[in-house]
Amino acid sequence: MILTVTLNAALDITYHLRRLRLLESNRVDAVAARAGGKGINVSRVLHALGHETVVTGLAGGPTGHVLRHELAAAGLRDELVTIEGETRRTVAVVDESRGDTTIFLERGPVVTAAAWAQFLHRYERLLPRAAAVVLAGSLPDGLSNDAYAVLIRRARTHRVPVVLDADGEALRAGVGEAPAVIKPNAVELGAASGSSDPHSGAAALRAAGAQAVVASLGPDGLIACSPQGSWRARPPQALSGNPTGAGDAAVAALALGLVAGVSWPAMLVEAVALSAAAVAAPLAGDFDSTVYRRLQETVTVETVAACPADVASDAPNGAAVTQP
């Protein structure tokens, strides 16, 4: 099974409006509320694809109770640790007229040392059954920036590969523990590496310890720098919709690829196809299966000049291929 960790889980509320009017009253055409947070979204995608997954992390208060009830209704196995604080909420406002989304994120609860110790005990109990671990999302108040680094070290003692999707100091601290893959977006990559060039930034984070770096470039697809080579993967066209779960869908594909041992080009095709199909779905954690199947046949992957930390790829630079 693939274990996902969401330390700052949320009840995600999505509003759909025909048009968002700032500084005015807005009538909501449709609303949805569901358990969220990046790791939970990853588990939703894995579950929809038919793979075993377990959700762990922290949840508390009345909002946490609603979140856990929704997880059960979705058929997701819940190994969350109950805490005293109140689980946060997020609000995504989708403007149908413009095809864009505005997101409001609460900070979340303050996690005590006792709650963190209880979570670490639960995590250690789950690790022996995990084929891979996904650590994703922000850290709640009360946890130090090295929280993900601690979890990566513990996974390594069980020989379990880790996919890390974080930003800021939590990402920088985690990179030093050699996660199998890190998956920043372009902004997070630049902030963590100090470089505005994605390839240079990826090389810097590989040199800092990450075994592989996959950076999402929004509608322009993904770049990947790994010991086996460097690639750029693109969808055939940009899709409009709700991008809030796109990165989580890509992480699900990367975790599955690690477990299955597939080639990097094949893994990137899946990551781009799932990511774009998630944009076409109304809620984070979902994806449009028709779009997904179509893009599996049309995503292109090309080898690019290797990141300085990379081993040269066998494929010629610039050779574009379409992966089934």
Side-chain angles (χ1 to χ4, degrees):
M1 65 90 171
I2 295 177
L3 178 65
T4 67
V5 176
T6 309
L7 295 175
N8 206 7
L11 184 66
D12 287 344
I13 301 167
T14 303
Y15 291 152
H16 285 265
L17 288 73
R18 280 189 287 272
R19 182 181 179 187
L20 176 62
R21 295 177 173 84
L22 296 177
L23 305 179
E24 297 183 27
S25 296
N26 288 268
R27 188 171 298 279
V28 177
D29 297 310
V31 61
R34 65 185 339 195
K38 295 181 74 62
I40 290 174
N41 291 339
V42 171
S43 278
R44 286 189 187 278
V45 174
L46 294 171
H47 181 71
L49 291 170
H51 296 275
E52 183 183 5
T53 183
V54 173
V55 172
T56 191
L58 306 169
T63 305
H65 179 76
V66 173
L67 181 146
R68 299 182 80 159
H69 179 77
E70 202 280 326
L71 283 177
L76 293 172
R77 180 180 162 191
D78 163 13
E79 287 282 355
L80 295 167
V81 171
T82 301
I83 61 174
E84 294 182 0
E86 180 80 14
T87 292
R88 67 190 178 122
R89 296 160 297 180
T90 72
V91 178
V93 181
V94 181
D95 185 331
E96 304 285 3
S97 68
R98 296 171 22 145
D100 60 18
T101 303
T102 301
I103 303 174
F104 300 89
L105 306 171
E106 295 181 1
R107 290 186 63 86
V110 177
V111 178
T112 65
W116 178 236
Q118 186 180 0
F119 169 77
L120 289 176
H121 178 75
R122 178 75 56 88
Y123 181 69
E124 288 277 5
R125 181 170 62 81
L126 293 168
L127 276 175
R129 287 195 57 239
V133 171
V134 172
L135 307 176
S138 62
L139 296 176
D141 291 341
L143 295 186
S144 62
N145 290 327
D146 70 346
Y148 283 143
V150 170
L151 300 184
I152 295 168
R153 283 198 298 272
R154 296 196 176 204
R156 193 167 60 239
T157 65
H158 293 271
R159 301 181 182 274
V160 179
V162 173
V163 181
L164 175 62
D165 184 4
D167 64 1
E169 293 300 325
L171 172 60
R172 282 188 282 269
V175 163
E177 294 299 328
V181 182
I182 63 170
K183 207 292 298 170
N185 61 33
V187 173
E188 293 162 350
L189 177 64
S193 67
S195 174
S196 59
D197 175 68
H199 289 283
S200 296
L205 294 187
R206 284 208 64 227
Q211 296 178 47
V213 179
V214 178
S216 55
L217 307 178
D220 293 326
L222 301 169
I223 63 164
C225 294
S226 80
Q228 290 74 42
S230 300
W231 295 270
R232 175 75 178 269
R234 293 182 175 91
Q237 72 279 326
L239 295 176
S240 63
N242 181 5
T244 53
D248 306 328
V251 169
L254 296 173
L256 286 174
L258 284 179
V259 171
V262 302
S263 70
W264 271 100
M267 195 187 312
L268 293 174
V269 166
E270 286 293 299
V272 170
L274 269 176
S275 179
V279 172
L283 299 174
D286 290 345
F287 61 91
D288 186 310
S289 58
T290 300
V291 172
Y292 171 52
R293 288 192 297 270
R294 172 168 56 83
L295 291 178
Q296 283 177 303
E297 304 294 332
T298 56
V299 170
T300 58
V301 181
E302 61 179 1
T303 58
V304 296
C307 295
D310 284 351
V311 175
S313 171
D314 292 333
N317 284 349
V321 296
T322 300
Q323 296 288 335

